[in-house]
Amino acid sequence: MDFKTYIAEAISNVTNIDKEEIKTYIEIPKIEANGDFAFPCFRLAKELKQSPINIANNIKDNIIVDNNIISKIDVVNGFLNFYIAKSCLAKETIMKFDSQKEEYGKSEIGEGKTVIVEYSSPNIAKPFHIGHLKTTIIGNSLYKLYKFLGFKTIGINHLGDYGTQFAKLIEGYKRWGEEYDFSTDAIDKLADIYKRINALCEEDENVLEECRATFKKLEDGDKYCTELWNKFKDLSIEEFNKIYDLLGIKFDSIKGEAFYSDKMQEVIDLLEKSGKLIESQGAKVVDLENQGINTPCIIQKANGSSIYATRDLAAILYRARTYDFDKCLYVVGEEQSLHFKQVFAVAKYLGLDEKYTNGLEHVSYGMIRLPEGKMSSRKGNFVKVKDLIDEAISKSKEIIKDRDIENKDLIAKQVGVGAVIFEDLAESRTKNQVFDLKEALNFNGETGPYIQYMTVRTKSVLEKAGYLPKVEELNFEKITDDSSIKLLKLIDNFNSILLDAMQKNEPSIISRYLIDVSETFSTFYNNNKILCDDKEAQDARLYITYMTKVILTNGLGILGIEVPEKM
Ligand code: ARG
């Protein structure tokens, strides 16, 4: 039953005001003591030509409700506060849950729709930094969220593998490649070569000229250059994969910018055709003033070469045709806001269906840095992400080392990785953040390990009981205490939390929620003896524990966090 509709109907019967209108006014009180639903009577004061207090009293005196559903109605300052009978609330929530069980929270809202989530997208031959970690983690959880809600989802890693720097790298490699052993820390070594050749270019104009010529060769598909470029790419991907493997992340498609290099002419032709491409100091640009963007978007430089934006435009054409997407999300730092504004604005001139151009969205996130101290001062923000995750794992191992559990290595990995992932998703994505590993690993704080621990606790309670009660046999009258009711209300809310997180592309809504559920479960666990002499009470509490387990497991799963066997 939908309680809101039930209350709206009852109010409508007394006031003769449309039930749909009433429904839009009904609120959920911020303070729990004010009941489960509240109706602000001042909303009707004009229509009924009465004071809110009179309206409230009149409704209260004449309303007809079933006492088994609404246990109490209070008038407070022109508000009507409704209290749902606890056993009724329990029954409704549990029956709803029972219809989906382990699938609880899934929905059909995404059926027939396709969402592309582009995330991670590091640059090859360059370090994977903590900003890349953030897009990887946010993107992965959005990917999982949309999937959970029934969308067809495509995860794309748009590697930065194009540009003059690769020609420089080739020139550097030609000169010094043999000095290096690329079997370990390949990216560091490529970065070193890059630094050396850059320095040389600054000293010697001729070398820079050579690099330019090499870039031309690379673009023209020269065999030697392409082979080397592929080698750099493979070495880099191998290193990135170490991070993706640790995080348990997979992509449906890994296509770098270079993939679009032969698809850019079409972008230029289409823009030419639209009449929007204009010459400016030898370059070809699109003016975006009429779309409220003051900086024109360069499409082709004066020397004829393409830019980053041109490749993004080619990718939009390709993705629209290949995937027929409804949404295409770009999980990229806020410093690229202008870039995406320009690209999305120019995309409107490519002659694509509006469905595609309306579906483009930059899911940005704030700056992230490490706290002052050992890790950051020594290496700056370029502390290696792999080292950061390894450190989280070894610290977790330290924390659990004396516990009486098996598979400590696996558990330390799940907890360490869980801590890192949760830390990246704990706050609203647009906020600037200090990534504090120590805080992330606090088992009693608002952290991944805390939620993992509570999930493990639900599992061990159920294991200890050794059975799962049947819903048909539950006595809902046994569910009366505040923490049980609070927990049930939270559980009831799971699906709306997911929808809200999806609409805002904001995984932190789920993280906050899971903290709430865990804390409430902890109170529930402390206030109620779950395994007890009263079999009916035990069954009811066990079932609530089971529901909590499913919510926490599904919720963590969407964030990309595993649940350890024991902790
Ligand atoms: N490779 C870029 C970087 O590391 C991010 C790419 C973002 N995606 C895009 N379609 N432009 O900064």
Side-chain angles (χ1 to χ4, degrees):
M1 173 196 301
D2 180 26
F3 294 119
K4 207 175 187 178
T5 310
Y6 181 81
I7 294 169
E9 233 159 35
I11 297 178
S12 166
N13 288 340
V14 186
T15 56
N16 281 326
I17 287 175
D18 180 53
K19 114 177 171 221
E20 289 308 319
E21 182 186 341
I22 305 260
K23 213 171 149 182
T24 61
Y25 301 146
I26 295 178
E27 307 168 351
I28 295 178
K30 296 226 161 44
I31 302 169
E32 258 167 78
N34 286 343
D36 300 300
F37 293 94
F39 181 68
C41 296
F42 69 86
R43 297 281 196 171
L44 303 184
K46 241 197 192 148
E47 246 167 298
L48 297 178
K49 298 193 181 68
Q50 283 180 45
S51 75
I53 306 267
N54 280 348
I55 297 172
N57 286 325
N58 178 39
I59 296 176
K60 189 186 164 175
D61 292 344
N62 296 303
I63 197 165
I64 299 171
V65 289
D66 181 343
N67 292 339
N68 294 317
I69 299 175
I70 307 287
S71 59
K72 188 167 82 160
I73 304 175
D74 274 347
V75 175
V76 181
N77 302 329
F79 275 82
L80 277 166
N81 292 338
F82 293 85
Y83 297 77
I84 308 289
K86 287 177 177 166
S87 57
C88 177
L89 196 136
K91 184 176 169 201
E92 290 297 326
T93 310
I94 291 176
M95 299 305 275
K96 188 170 117 190
F97 176 90
D98 185 57
S99 65
Q100 280 189 296
K101 296 202 181 66
E102 312 269 324
E103 306 267 272
Y104 184 64
K106 284 210 170 154
S107 109
E108 278 153 22
I109 188 168
E111 222 167 87
K113 297 208 177 80
T114 299
V115 176
I116 293 177
V117 186
E118 190 214 277
Y119 59 110
S120 201
S121 311
N123 301 317
I124 67 169
K126 288 221 183 112
F128 189 104
H129 57 73
I130 57 168
H132 288 126
L133 178 65
K134 188 126 178 155
T135 139
T136 307
I137 288 173
I138 295 175
N140 184 51
S141 78
L142 291 177
Y143 177 82
K144 295 204 148 127
L145 172 61
Y146 278 95
K147 205 171 209 130
F148 195 80
L149 293 175
F151 291 84
K152 181 169 176 211
T153 42
I154 321 277
I156 299 184
N157 191 345
H158 186 77
L159 289 177
D161 60 358
Y162 191 89
T164 46
Q165 75 264 35
F166 298 107
K168 286 188 176 171
L169 214 48
I170 291 169
E171 284 304 314
Y173 187 87
K174 270 199 224 159
R175 289 171 170 74
W176 314 294
E178 293 199 331
E179 293 173 26
Y180 296 85
D181 165 15
F182 290 100
S183 63
T184 57
D185 296 324
I187 292 181
D188 291 353
K189 287 160 190 167
L190 292 175
D192 198 53
I193 294 182
Y194 186 65
K195 220 164 76 190
R196 285 172 73 180
I197 189 75
N198 247 338
L200 195 60
C201 284
E202 268 173 35
E203 259 171 46
D204 187 344
E205 183 72 21
N206 291 330
V207 180
L208 190 61
E209 261 326 302
E210 268 175 62
C211 291
R212 289 198 183 117
T214 302
F215 184 57
K216 179 88 180 67
K217 274 198 201 159
L218 180 62
E219 278 199 302
D220 293 343
D222 173 85
K223 191 159 167 276
Y224 174 76
C225 291
T226 312
E227 262 168 26
L228 269 187
W229 173 80
N230 269 323
K231 180 185 163 92
F232 301 150
K233 191 162 147 173
D234 291 345
L235 284 171
S236 306
I237 291 179
E238 215 174 287
E239 297 257 315
F240 299 151
N241 276 342
K242 289 181 192 154
I243 296 169
Y244 298 143
D245 285 348
L246 274 175
L247 297 173
I249 284 173
K250 288 197 177 68
F251 298 92
D252 298 305
S253 159
I254 301 186
K255 280 205 168 54
E257 291 181 39
F259 174 78
Y260 301 100
S261 60
D262 63 356
K263 298 177 178 54
M264 290 185 291
Q265 190 53 47
E266 189 187 0
V267 172
I268 294 170
D269 293 345
L270 287 168
L271 292 175
E272 205 90 71
K273 212 170 95 191
S274 77
K276 299 288 179 188
L277 205 59
I278 52 175
E279 292 268 333
S280 167
Q281 297 164 355
K284 290 185 173 159
V285 309
V286 175
D287 185 273
L288 298 169
E289 199 94 47
N290 62 343
Q291 292 196 53
I293 301 167
N294 296 330
T295 331
C297 185
I298 302 176
I299 300 296
Q300 194 173 45
K301 286 197 259 182
N303 67 5
S305 64
S306 67
I307 69 156
Y308 183 48
T310 328
R311 293 187 284 281
D312 262 325
L313 288 161
I316 291 172
L317 283 178
Y318 177 82
R319 290 173 186 177
R321 289 167 189 159
T322 311
Y323 302 111
D324 183 25
F325 63 80
D326 294 275
K327 273 194 203 189
C328 179
L329 309 178
Y330 295 79
V331 186
V332 184
E334 69 184 358
E335 65 281 359
Q336 295 196 28
S337 283
L338 176 62
H339 166 75
F340 285 107
K341 275 201 190 109
Q342 291 178 312
V343 168
F344 297 167
V346 177
K348 293 193 184 146
Y349 303 138
L350 292 176
L352 282 170
D353 193 296
E354 269 191 12
K355 162 185 162 179
Y356 302 116
T357 45
N358 290 339
L360 303 169
E361 192 174 335
H362 177 201
V363 177
S364 74
Y365 54 86
M367 298 280 279
I368 174 162
R369 65 175 181 84
L370 293 160
E372 295 309 317
K374 200 176 102 212
M375 279 195 113
S376 65
S377 56
R378 191 158 33 99
K379 298 180 191 157
N381 267 340
F382 285 101
V383 58
K384 282 203 237 146
V385 166
K386 169 104 185 357
D387 291 350
L388 183 79
I389 303 174
D390 284 341
E391 174 142 342
I393 295 173
S394 67
K395 287 208 164 123
S396 305
K397 206 183 230 163
E398 185 61 28
I399 298 173
I400 62 168
K401 77 171 189 301
D402 296 326
R403 298 190 181 182
D404 182 23
I405 46 176
E406 283 169 32
N407 298 327
K408 282 187 191 152
D409 283 345
L410 173 65
I411 291 167
K413 180 181 164 228
Q414 292 169 321
V415 172
V417 169
V420 170
I421 293 180
F422 194 85
E423 176 72 2
D424 258 335
L425 300 177
E427 303 248 23
S428 148
R429 61 180 159 79
T430 50
K431 261 194 170 174
N432 292 340
Q433 186 198 3
V434 177
F435 190 102
D436 190 342
L437 190 55
K438 193 157 168 258
E439 200 31 60
L441 281 166
N442 180 352
F443 280 37
N444 298 313
E446 296 184 348
T447 62
Y450 172 70
I451 303 172
Q452 285 174 317
Y453 182 71
M454 282 305 158
T455 317
V456 168
R457 179 169 278 183
T458 60
K459 289 209 288 188
S460 52
V461 172
L462 291 162
E463 236 165 65
K464 205 162 159 203
Y467 73 100
L468 188 65
K470 289 204 176 67
V471 169
E472 312 81 66
E473 289 166 15
L474 293 182
N475 178 356
F476 301 107
E477 302 290 335
K478 292 283 173 179
I479 301 169
T480 51
D481 80 298
D482 288 348
S483 60
S484 306
I485 295 296
K486 188 168 172 207
L487 196 49
L488 285 170
K489 280 193 195 166
L490 279 169
I491 291 171
D492 189 49
N493 218 10
F494 187 47
N495 192 255
S496 6
I497 290 286
L498 296 183
L499 293 180
D500 193 25
M502 177 203 84
Q503 268 140 17
K504 298 180 177 136
N505 291 314
E506 183 60 89
S508 71
I509 293 174
I510 303 171
S511 334
R512 302 302 321 155
Y513 169 81
L514 294 180
I515 291 286
D516 257 7
V517 173
S518 302
E519 283 174 353
T520 311
F521 178 74
S522 170
T523 316
F524 164 84
Y525 180 86
N526 292 330
N527 290 358
N528 294 290
K529 218 170 157 354
I530 298 181
L531 304 179
C532 59
D533 297 338
D534 180 346
K535 176 76 170 38
E536 285 191 330
Q538 169 167 310
D539 281 358
R541 290 169 191 163
L542 268 180
Y543 203 81
I544 296 178
T545 305
Y546 168 61
M547 294 162 90
T548 310
K549 184 194 97 169
V550 171
I551 295 276
L552 292 178
T553 310
N554 285 353
L556 284 175
I558 290 172
L559 300 186
I561 299 176
E562 288 180 27
V563 179
E565 201 47 51
K566 290 256 154 34
M567 245 175 105

